[in-house]
Amino acid sequence: MYYSVLEVTPTNEAWIPHYVKLAADIVSKHGGKYLANSANHQTLEGEREEPAICAIIQWPSKQSALDFMTDSDYLPLLKLRTDSSVSHHVLVEGKE
């Protein structure tokens, strides 16, 4: 199992409804599942500027996450998000 951890702070919000509507279907197409997608979060350790939105997506495999990121339907949405926000995306391997 792998997890995408995203922190997004929009520089404008016009793109968000379009992105959210389409991205969820592409996530699902690659076996992903949103575990969290919220503006309600809190940094518990360290000093940093809080992102506006935090999201966690569960993937069945690393390859599923990578396939999502290179999906031809997702690439225009990725460009839209990265051009209109400050975004950080980390892929984390789940281990017990």
Side-chain angles (χ1 to χ4, degrees):
M1 201 71 57
Y2 279 78
Y3 300 89
S4 284
V5 179
L6 294 102
E7 297 180 339
V8 180
T9 300
T11 53
N12 76 64
E13 297 186 4
W15 61 276
I16 295 174
H18 176 73
Y19 178 92
V20 170
K21 180 180 176 185
L22 298 176
D25 288 340
I26 303 168
V27 165
S28 182
K29 171 182 160 182
H30 290 281
K33 177 183 174 185
Y34 279 94
L35 301 180
N37 190 9
S38 177
N40 187 12
H41 52 83
Q42 177 182 358
T43 297
L44 297 178
E45 184 177 335
E47 293 182 27
R48 67 184 184 128
E49 190 170 321
E50 287 286 328
I53 302 164
C54 288
I56 301 171
I57 303 170
Q58 180 180 10
W59 301 102
S61 67
K62 181 179 183 178
Q63 192 59 54
S64 295
L66 297 176
D67 289 346
F68 164 74
M69 290 299 295
T70 59
D71 186 302
S72 61
D73 290 331
Y74 182 65
L75 290 176
L77 296 175
L78 175 61
K79 180 167 177 28
L80 185 62
R81 178 174 57 81
T82 57
D83 287 352
S84 302
S85 70
V86 175
S87 296
H88 298 95
H89 183 174
V90 177
L91 187 61
V92 180
E93 181 179 13
K95 292 207 175 203
E96 293 186 26

